[in-house]
Amino acid sequence: MKKYIIIALMFMSASILAQLKIPNLSSTATFSQDIGLTTVEVAYSRPSKKNRKIFNGILPYGQYWRTGANIATKFSFSKSIIINGKLLEKGDYTLLTIPEKSSWKVKWYVYESTNWNNYKEKTPIISLDIPVQRIQETIETFSMTFQNVTLQSADLFIEWENTRIVIPFEVSEHEEIIKSIDKSLSGPSTSEYFRAALYYHETKTDLQKALTYIQKVTSSDNALFFQVTREALILQDLSKNKEALLVAKRALELSKKAKNKDFIKINSDIISALSK
């Protein structure tokens, strides 16, 4: 009987523990920061000081630290980013640090798991030496924040106790942004006009607008055979037969140069229908 009671109590204890929910001693934090067109997402744990000596105390100098608590910190970059002058490609990363009195070694690795010990034997993607800054204010809870944010850069502040390190982040997006501005200000591309014309023609919602858009494409000497064919079809549907015939003849010649049998037939059929 005593044996059965012990077993029952064990199952009851397991059931109670399974239902028990308590907060982690070190809270989890997630945040994101846009730097230019790049989004940086950070997920990490935040231990508190609790009257303990942190650096050269519970965190001895010269030893690896997960730079947080419980699990490996995760950084996600939506685009490539430059960290203290060194490039990290788009993706997920973690960092381990080796705190010293006057500087920290900061080692970045491709993120693979939450187990920070797995990274210590691996070769880091980049390794940095970052000087320590002493601050008057005592930071009770370990903190990571981005400060000094501009359109092209931001500084990652890592702070705890009376210690701060600052890691500069940069993005190299100037050329991409200028191209985007130039494209937007110059108006839609020929491919965009063609897709718009295609939509209006196929849905028969506005044939005149379809013609306006397709002629923005076909007015070029570099227009392609299928684009000119589309103009002929739109003109035919608008009953502008004389114009459609001339355009179909141009499209036929372009189709022959492209050696496209399907469009040679389409244009030949248009010409035959309009020549009767």
Side-chain angles (χ1 to χ4, degrees):
M1 177 64 72
K2 190 179 291 186
K3 177 182 176 182
Y4 291 121
I5 292 172
I6 291 170
I7 293 172
L9 287 171
M10 287 173 63
F11 277 110
M12 287 175 63
S13 297
S15 176
I16 291 168
L17 287 171
Q19 296 174 28
L20 181 62
K21 292 184 178 180
I22 60 173
N24 291 326
L25 295 178
S26 298
S27 62
T28 300
T30 58
F31 70 95
S32 67
Q33 176 65 57
D34 288 340
I35 308 172
L37 301 176
T38 301
T39 299
V40 182
E41 295 181 349
V42 185
Y44 72 114
S45 291
R46 303 187 63 198
S48 292
K49 188 175 183 302
K50 299 177 182 176
N51 297 316
R52 301 173 294 178
K53 179 175 174 55
I54 302 301
F55 298 107
N56 208 29
I58 63 169
L59 292 176
Y61 286 147
Q63 293 189 18
Y64 277 99
W65 179 36
R66 74 195 81 182
T67 322
N70 303 326
I71 59 175
T73 293
K74 184 178 182 181
F75 281 78
S76 299
F77 304 116
S78 65
K79 295 186 176 184
S80 298
I81 199 158
I82 300 167
I83 300 180
N84 201 40
K86 298 187 178 182
L87 179 69
L88 275 185
E89 300 290 345
K90 168 186 174 180
D92 299 332
Y93 296 87
T94 191
L95 80 168
L96 300 183
T97 54
I98 303 176
E100 297 282 6
K101 184 176 181 179
S102 58
S103 67
W104 288 18
K105 287 183 172 58
V106 182
K107 299 176 181 291
W108 293 85
Y109 305 83
V110 173
Y111 186 87
E112 295 175 352
S113 76
T114 58
N115 187 348
W116 71 283
N117 283 299
N118 288 347
Y119 300 99
K120 290 194 290 186
E121 301 303 320
K122 296 180 182 294
T123 301
I125 302 296
I126 60 173
S127 185
L128 311 172
D129 284 305
I130 305 295
V132 165
Q133 299 178 11
R134 301 296 173 196
I135 54 178
Q136 294 297 317
E137 178 189 1
T138 298
I139 306 298
E140 171 63 24
T141 303
F142 175 64
S143 175
M144 291 190 192
T145 58
F146 280 103
Q147 303 292 336
N148 308 319
V149 180
T150 73
L151 294 177
Q152 295 179 313
S153 65
D155 292 329
L156 176 65
F157 279 36
I158 300 179
E159 300 174 304
W160 201 11
E161 200 173 44
N162 302 104
T163 294
R164 172 191 294 157
I165 65 167
V166 178
I167 305 175
F169 281 53
E170 295 177 77
V171 293
S172 181
E173 300 169 335
H174 180 69
E175 289 186 9
E176 178 185 353
I177 293 168
I178 293 301
K179 285 180 181 177
S180 177
I181 291 171
D182 290 344
K183 181 181 178 182
S184 296
L185 294 180
S186 65
S189 66
T190 55
S191 63
E192 288 167 332
Y193 276 124
F194 178 72
R195 288 197 297 272
L198 196 63
Y199 174 80
Y200 280 118
H201 185 218
E202 289 294 325
T203 58
K204 299 294 189 288
T205 50
D206 194 331
L207 291 178
Q208 191 55 53
K209 191 169 283 188
L211 181 62
T212 299
Y213 288 153
I214 197 63
Q215 286 181 338
K216 288 182 181 294
V217 180
T218 58
S219 61
S220 168
D221 292 336
N222 297 319
L224 302 173
F225 65 92
F226 60 88
Q227 295 169 335
V228 180
T229 300
R230 180 61 57 170
E231 182 188 5
L233 290 168
I234 294 170
L235 286 165
Q236 188 178 28
D237 285 347
L238 283 167
S239 299
K240 297 186 176 185
N241 295 342
K242 191 177 290 186
E243 295 173 53
L245 182 60
L246 290 174
V247 172
K249 289 178 179 179
R250 179 190 176 195
L252 178 60
E253 292 305 312
L254 291 172
S255 300
K256 287 178 178 177
K257 286 181 182 178
K259 298 180 181 179
N260 189 296
K261 293 180 180 179
D262 292 335
F263 278 83
I264 290 171
K265 184 177 187 312
I266 291 170
N267 286 290
S268 297
D269 288 346
I270 295 172
I271 292 168
S272 176
L274 295 177
S275 298
K276 290 178 181 178

